[in-house]
Amino acid sequence: MVIIPKNHPRVKSLLVRERLVKGFDEGIVAKEGLLAHGRGEAFDYLLGEKTSKKAKNAICASAALLTLAKRPVISVNGNSAALCPKETVDLSKVLKAKIEVNLFYANEKRKQNIIRFLKKNGAKQVLGGNKSSQKILSNLTSARRVVDKGGIFAGDVILVPLEDGDRTLALKKMRKKVITFDLNPLSRTAQTADITIVDNVIRGMKELNKTCKKFSKKNRNELQSIVRKFDNKKNLASSILAIKNYLNRRARHA
Amino acid sequence: MVIIPKNHPRVKSLLVRERLVKGFDEGIVAKEGLLAHGRGEAFDYLLGEKTSKKAKNAICASAALLTLAKRPVISVNGNSAALCPKETVDLSKVLKAKIEVNLFYANEKRKQNIIRFLKKNGAKQVLGGNKSSQKILSNLTSARRVVDKGGIFAGDVILVPLEDGDRTLALKKMRKKVITFDLNPLSRTAQTADITIVDNVIRGMKELNKTCKKFSKKNRNELQSIVRKFDNKKNLASSILAIKNYLNRRARHA
């Protein structure tokens, strides 16, 4: 266990990193997940490490779409499980959404570890581990092509935090609405999803939970209007601009 | 072993990543090294994943400085060993430079693994593993304070790929010329080194090798003129600008 000084200028980021390293030691996070997190750290750094106004817009639209959904599903991978297990379970309860584990780097043992970990964090049911209810998406080649008949396969709105581009596209081709968390506003995932929340998944999931709770009282017309007014491409362009502004500020002080 | 689809749009980056993961499995790369690589990937992505003109400028200046050096040393850590062992060994032969292993996260076993790995890749001698020739740099606190008397301690030009800011500063205070590879042009290392090559270490080391071979035929006056003309601060500012331009281009097509 590494001791992180409380007064370290990057203490928050370091503590999150430890959460992930712990997840790795417990067989939840893949090696590739550590790498992916590093990429996220870099983009979060370039976004000033806070939930931007643009991210809040995307969270509002996501909360509306998820609340309107008939069969919402939260797709979980190693990193999102390790980083925000409680937020994932809470959200599934607020939305009455299914949780399904779906891994890019296939590993039956890790899948079972994640399912156990989510259950320890309060999940009643976690799909993805039952071979008899599997469906294969023919338009995908990675391990992620395996989905659950009663989960992602049947879902209408799928929340996929920390997703890869191929799968986002495959889900879109199946006419599903896809919501993703991606700190890189330029990534294929970010550009392909219906709604992209450019935010750290821990901060963003907390905010999404809060908003979904609030929206459960709104009527369908109001929610539909929020979804209609949201423009993902425009919102992403603003996030790219935010990075540029950060670079301008930093370049001036370099 | 993970199978990466050959038609995956990010196959190059994924294969490099696998090289690092393999290094991790073989006890060469630290967990923190995986995270650090991820951060590098993000910056590389923002630089368009190619060796820029500014990086080539920095590589030219580095090749000139290294060719002029009396006692050049290549410092190696887990990530640089795993990513470009052959390029490191080749460069040491072209320059008649020493190779020394120096780790931020101290671990005697990992050090020995790296030394063995470099020897397997053709290195005749690798410093850093011999306790009897160690020297302690009093102005550093991390494990990196330990250097070899005949290597970094005595060197005049030190190439430190993937360095941390503290050590770059410590080497500078010892009046050494420091050349680094750093994909983040804003980092303390990037800002402190004499020459910062803002490039992926695999691509950059190949290019550096080629340039050093070419420069071995140049006379000292020519080489000195190349070094004199190079301005690291200006070059770094151009790299920051390059990220901004990349964002602009991408934002237009998004």
Side-chain angles (χ1 to χ4, degrees):
Chain A
M1 191 66 196
V2 175
I3 294 158
I4 297 163
K6 281 204 178 106
N7 59 354
H8 193 288
R10 303 204 44 73
V11 65
K12 237 174 160 173
S13 168
L14 291 173
L15 287 173
V16 170
R17 200 184 294 174
E18 281 313 299
R19 214 190 274 197
L20 205 76
V21 168
K22 193 164 169 270
F24 174 78
D25 292 335
E26 289 171 358
I28 288 168
V29 170
K31 278 171 269 185
E32 292 80 1
L34 294 178
L35 282 149
H37 185 73
R39 284 197 303 285
E41 278 185 351
F43 280 103
D44 203 12
Y45 176 88
L46 290 173
L47 287 158
E49 290 172 319
K50 54 183 182 231
T51 303
S52 67
K53 231 186 117 211
K54 296 105 207 165
K56 281 190 185 160
N57 287 347
I59 287 169
C60 266
S62 302
L65 192 60
L66 284 164
T67 308
L68 287 166
K70 288 202 182 84
R71 292 173 301 280
V73 180
I74 307 170
S75 178
V76 173
N77 67 9
N79 282 26
S80 70
L83 291 175
C84 45
K86 288 214 191 308
E87 292 79 358
T88 302
V89 174
D90 280 357
L91 188 66
S92 78
K93 286 179 183 168
V94 173
L95 295 169
K96 295 187 180 58
K98 299 263 165 79
I99 300 177
E100 179 169 339
V101 176
N102 188 280
L103 306 180
F104 185 82
Y105 292 96
N107 181 327
E108 211 40 54
K109 201 172 156 215
R110 191 157 69 87
K111 207 176 222 182
Q112 295 303 333
N113 289 343
I114 295 172
I115 293 174
R116 227 179 357 256
F117 183 65
L118 289 170
K119 287 192 172 166
K120 222 172 70 183
N121 278 279
K124 291 261 157 59
Q125 191 194 21
V126 181
L127 303 174
N130 185 351
K131 287 220 165 117
S132 67
S133 64
Q134 278 177 354
K135 268 267 189 193
I136 306 290
L137 307 183
S138 58
N139 52 359
L140 266 178
T141 45
S142 81
R144 289 206 145 164
R145 69 208 297 235
V146 181
V147 296
D148 193 282
K149 263 196 288 200
I152 289 168
F153 189 75
D156 56 349
V157 179
I158 324 284
L159 173 63
V160 281
L162 321 174
E163 189 49 69
D164 78 302
D166 281 351
R167 184 149 171 268
T168 308
L169 199 62
L171 293 173
K172 285 278 293 173
K173 280 185 183 156
M174 290 168 75
R175 298 182 182 280
K176 307 203 181 286
K177 292 283 180 190
V178 180
I179 301 169
T180 192
F181 279 89
D182 197 326
L183 276 157
N184 175 1
L186 298 163
S187 78
R188 282 192 312 138
T189 303
Q191 297 288 337
T192 310
D194 292 284
I195 305 177
T196 307
I197 304 167
V198 181
D199 198 11
N200 171 300
V201 73
I202 300 181
R203 286 197 310 266
M205 279 291 270
K206 277 197 213 310
E207 186 73 23
L208 182 60
N209 255 311
K210 242 172 38 191
T211 314
C212 284
K213 267 177 209 150
K214 217 164 65 188
F215 281 14
S216 64
K217 289 164 203 120
K218 278 198 194 298
N219 70 45
R220 294 185 69 83
N221 281 346
E222 270 182 284
L223 295 172
Q224 277 159 350
S225 156
I226 291 170
V227 172
R228 245 193 332 267
K229 278 182 194 147
F230 179 78
D231 182 333
N232 203 43
K233 292 272 173 198
K234 229 188 231 168
N235 208 54
L236 282 169
S238 308
S239 292
I240 296 169
L241 195 66
I243 296 182
K244 274 171 52 191
N245 289 340
Y246 178 81
L247 286 170
N248 275 336
R249 280 197 307 277
R250 284 294 310 266
R252 269 203 299 273
H253 295 107
Chain B
M1 193 61 198
V2 174
I3 294 156
I4 296 164
K6 279 209 179 100
N7 58 356
H8 195 288
R10 302 205 43 75
V11 64
K12 229 174 164 177
S13 169
L14 290 173
L15 288 173
V16 170
R17 203 182 291 173
E18 282 314 300
R19 212 189 277 196
L20 206 75
V21 167
K22 193 162 169 273
F24 175 78
D25 292 337
E26 289 171 357
I28 288 168
V29 170
K31 265 181 272 187
E32 293 79 3
L34 295 177
L35 280 150
H37 183 74
R39 286 196 297 283
E41 278 184 349
F43 280 102
D44 199 14
Y45 179 91
L46 289 173
L47 287 158
E49 290 172 318
K50 56 181 181 228
T51 303
S52 68
K53 231 187 118 210
K54 295 103 208 168
K56 281 191 183 158
N57 287 347
I59 287 170
C60 266
S62 302
L65 193 60
L66 283 164
T67 307
L68 287 166
K70 287 202 181 87
R71 293 174 300 278
V73 180
I74 307 170
S75 178
V76 173
N77 67 8
N79 282 25
S80 70
L83 291 174
C84 44
K86 288 212 191 310
E87 291 80 358
T88 302
V89 173
D90 281 356
L91 188 65
S92 77
K93 286 179 180 166
V94 174
L95 295 169
K96 294 187 182 55
K98 300 261 164 79
I99 300 177
E100 179 170 339
V101 176
N102 188 280
L103 307 180
F104 186 82
Y105 292 96
N107 181 327
E108 210 40 53
K109 201 172 156 212
R110 192 156 67 87
K111 206 176 223 182
Q112 295 302 335
N113 290 343
I114 295 171
I115 292 173
R116 228 180 356 257
F117 183 65
L118 289 170
K119 286 190 173 167
K120 223 173 70 185
N121 278 278
K124 290 260 158 59
Q125 190 194 22
V126 182
L127 303 175
N130 184 351
K131 286 219 166 119
S132 67
S133 65
Q134 278 176 354
K135 268 270 189 190
I136 306 289
L137 306 183
S138 57
N139 53 358
L140 265 180
T141 46
S142 82
R144 288 202 146 167
R145 70 207 297 234
V146 181
V147 296
D148 193 282
K149 264 196 287 198
I152 289 169
F153 189 75
D156 55 349
V157 179
I158 323 285
L159 173 64
V160 281
L162 320 175
E163 188 49 67
D164 77 302
D166 283 349
R167 183 150 172 267
T168 309
L169 199 61
L171 293 172
K172 285 276 291 174
K173 279 186 183 156
M174 290 170 75
R175 300 181 179 280
K176 306 200 180 293
K177 292 283 180 191
V178 180
I179 301 168
T180 192
F181 280 88
D182 197 325
L183 276 158
N184 177 1
L186 298 163
S187 79
R188 281 191 313 140
T189 302
Q191 297 288 337
T192 310
D194 292 286
I195 305 176
T196 307
I197 304 167
V198 181
D199 197 12
N200 171 300
V201 74
I202 300 181
R203 286 196 312 265
M205 280 291 271
K206 278 198 211 310
E207 185 73 24
L208 183 59
N209 256 312
K210 240 172 41 190
T211 315
C212 284
K213 266 175 210 151
K214 216 165 63 187
F215 281 13
S216 65
K217 290 168 201 118
K218 277 198 196 299
N219 70 45
R220 293 185 70 83
N221 281 347
E222 270 183 284
L223 296 171
Q224 276 158 352
S225 155
I226 292 169
V227 172
R228 246 192 331 266
K229 278 183 194 146
F230 180 77
D231 181 334
N232 203 43
K233 290 274 173 197
K234 228 186 230 169
N235 208 55
L236 281 169
S238 307
S239 292
I240 297 170
L241 196 67
I243 296 181
K244 278 171 51 191
N245 289 341
Y246 177 79
L247 289 170
N248 276 337
R249 279 198 308 278
R250 287 292 311 264
R252 268 203 299 275
H253 296 106

